[in-house]
Amino acid sequence: MKNIKWKAIQKKMKKTFAIAILFLITGQVSAQKVESNLEKMNTSKEHYTFQLSEKVIRQKVSFKNRYGIILSGDLYLPKNTGNEILSALAISGPFGAVKQQSSGLYANQMAERGFIALAFDPSYTGESGGEPRNLASPEINTEDFSAAVDFLGLQKKVASNKIGIIGICGFGGFALNAAAIDKRVKAVAVTSLYDMTRVMSKGYNDSVTLEQRTKTLEDLGQQRWKDAEKGKPADGPRNLPEKLKGDEPQFVKEYFDYYRTPRGFQANSVNSNGAWLVTNPISFMNMPILAYVKEISPRPMLLIAGEKAHSRYFSEDIFKVANEPKQLIIIPNAVHVDLYDKVDVIPFDKLDDFFKKYLK
């Protein structure tokens, strides 16, 4: 009986991983046609999913990365600082989100605490430039953080030797990669970390077999022929459906609860209202971005993850291999998306203490 029960559990786990991998590779969770619930949400592309603090000024800015792509950002400045020169933070994420969502919320909170904070849309997404649209790249998205550091370091009110970065979800991985290669970054913090190169190439919990990986690469190669023939890359199915069927993995339900409800919906967000290109995973499949994470040291690293987050193992694994100084904080009972927007769950006081200690 125990063997039968264990086999049933294994079968269920394999199905969950298969659905999860499909979500990552193609963005497809459900093709079911259902009535839209968009009328319940603010569908303006200018909509912010949080309230601007009365203690903060927000300014639209733009800057160029090393590839010539113009990035769009919001600069959050604490009020009444006079001529004081301040520490600064560059913030982006989650993967598939825009600056009117989590990164802006983080910037707003950190500006309240006295930092100049820049939330920005990554290349090819949101209000930032780059063609084709809805493309991600481990190299270019890492560069986006360094370009944000370029911008911040040139601001008159910013101390260029006191710049840190915060990455959320998949941009946690890019933030760590940027910190490893860009020695101007004095401290790095990540929340709900994803290593997108690891999860796209190996699946959740490294569950993808060589046969499955080979099949995915073969399919991507065939898609390239189709794209080349048409002269443009094909869009995949929308990342999240308009309505859940009920049999999706729990983490997909949690993503839906953020991106596809009034809580976090933003019309410019790929995860709220769009799809990645079918060939988006290609550059992720054989590029392990965190191979040099030890080289962040002696600069400090702060990892924050939810106790019940499906992604928790990414933070724990990086913590094991990283050199000191490092800190791992596990938030009791929190799931992955709780660290996107729940200000009573996200340990902003810890982030404040961390950056005030090391950006000095």
Side-chain angles (χ1 to χ4, degrees):
M1 286 295 292
K2 288 183 178 179
N3 286 338
I4 294 173
K5 185 176 180 180
W6 174 240
K7 286 181 179 179
I9 293 172
Q10 284 183 311
K11 186 175 180 181
K12 184 176 181 181
M13 288 174 64
K14 287 181 179 179
K15 181 181 178 183
T16 297
F17 287 141
I19 295 172
I21 292 162
L22 186 65
F23 173 72
L24 282 169
I25 298 298
T26 69
Q28 186 173 9
V29 175
S30 171
Q32 184 183 25
K33 299 295 183 181
V34 294
E35 185 180 355
S36 172
N37 65 351
L38 293 183
E39 64 272 9
K40 300 176 184 177
M41 295 180 276
N42 189 322
T43 58
S44 166
K45 292 183 178 181
E46 294 298 318
H47 169 63
Y48 287 81
T49 61
F50 59 94
Q51 291 294 319
L52 180 66
S53 168
E54 294 180 354
K55 301 176 183 178
V56 173
I57 299 169
R58 180 169 58 210
Q59 299 176 351
K60 287 279 189 183
V61 299
S62 62
F63 53 98
K64 189 180 292 186
N65 72 12
R66 194 163 56 90
Y67 294 95
I69 298 170
I70 296 175
L71 302 180
S72 174
D74 285 331
L75 191 64
Y76 290 77
L77 302 133
K79 290 181 179 179
N80 304 318
T81 57
N83 295 322
E84 186 179 356
I85 305 301
L86 303 175
S87 301
L89 300 168
I91 307 173
S92 196
F95 190 74
V98 290
K99 62 186 178 297
Q100 292 90 345
Q101 296 173 308
S102 301
S103 59
L105 181 147
Y106 273 66
N108 184 58
Q109 288 285 328
M110 298 309 290
E112 268 196 341
R113 290 162 170 80
F115 297 89
I116 291 176
L118 172 65
F120 65 89
D121 288 340
S123 296
Y124 307 106
T125 60
E127 295 176 311
S128 289
E131 293 289 342
R133 304 305 295 165
N134 296 346
L135 175 69
S137 160
E139 157 63 7
I140 295 174
N141 292 146
T142 296
E143 159 62 21
D144 289 342
F145 269 111
S146 287
V149 173
D150 293 343
F151 173 83
L152 287 170
L154 296 178
Q155 304 309 302
K156 291 181 180 179
K157 287 184 65 65
V158 170
S160 61
N161 62 339
K162 298 179 180 179
I163 299 176
I165 58 179
I166 298 176
I168 308 161
C169 182
F171 276 78
F174 302 138
L176 293 176
N177 195 33
I181 201 167
D182 192 336
K183 304 305 181 182
R184 299 174 302 170
V185 176
K186 300 305 179 183
V188 58
V190 299
T191 59
S192 289
L193 171 66
Y194 255 67
D195 176 351
M196 296 306 303
T197 54
R198 178 180 176 184
V199 75
M200 284 202 196
S201 61
K202 298 181 179 181
Y204 286 105
N205 296 297
D206 302 336
S207 61
V208 169
T209 65
L210 176 59
E211 291 76 16
Q212 289 171 324
R213 173 181 164 83
T214 299
K215 179 63 166 60
T216 296
L217 291 172
E218 288 172 348
D219 290 345
L220 289 169
Q222 291 301 310
Q223 184 63 49
R224 289 192 65 132
W225 284 121
K226 296 174 184 177
D227 291 352
E229 185 177 16
K230 290 184 177 180
K232 63 178 183 178
D235 294 327
R238 200 178 69 191
N239 287 359
L240 289 168
E242 293 184 3
K243 186 177 181 180
L244 295 175
K245 295 189 295 182
D247 60 350
E248 294 84 3
Q250 180 59 31
F251 77 96
V252 173
K253 296 176 182 177
E254 291 164 4
Y255 282 140
F256 186 97
D257 184 55
Y258 178 75
Y259 288 109
R260 290 294 300 171
T261 71
R263 170 185 169 191
F265 180 87
Q266 217 291 332
N268 258 349
S269 168
V270 183
N271 288 343
S272 283
N273 207 34
W276 295 108
L277 299 178
V278 176
T279 54
N280 194 51
I282 288 175
S283 60
F284 290 83
M285 295 294 282
N286 65 346
M287 192 181 291
I289 57 172
L290 300 184
Y292 294 93
V293 73
K294 289 182 178 181
E295 294 185 12
I296 294 174
S297 177
R299 294 161 297 149
M301 173 196 308
L302 174 62
L303 305 164
I304 303 171
E307 178 189 14
K308 296 183 178 179
H310 68 282
S311 56
R312 174 177 168 176
Y313 71 97
F314 289 116
S315 295
E316 293 175 330
D317 288 354
I318 288 299
F319 183 74
K320 290 174 186 175
V321 301
N323 289 334
E324 297 286 353
K326 60 184 179 179
Q327 185 177 4
L328 173 64
I329 298 174
I330 302 297
I331 306 300
N333 299 314
V335 299
H336 181 87
V337 300
D338 286 343
L339 300 184
Y340 284 9
D341 66 331
K342 293 189 176 181
V343 294
D344 58 335
V345 175
I346 303 166
F348 282 112
D349 289 342
K350 280 284 188 181
L351 287 165
D352 182 28
D353 292 343
F354 173 77
F355 284 112
K356 283 180 177 171
K357 177 180 179 179
Y358 291 109
L359 298 184
K360 61 182 181 180

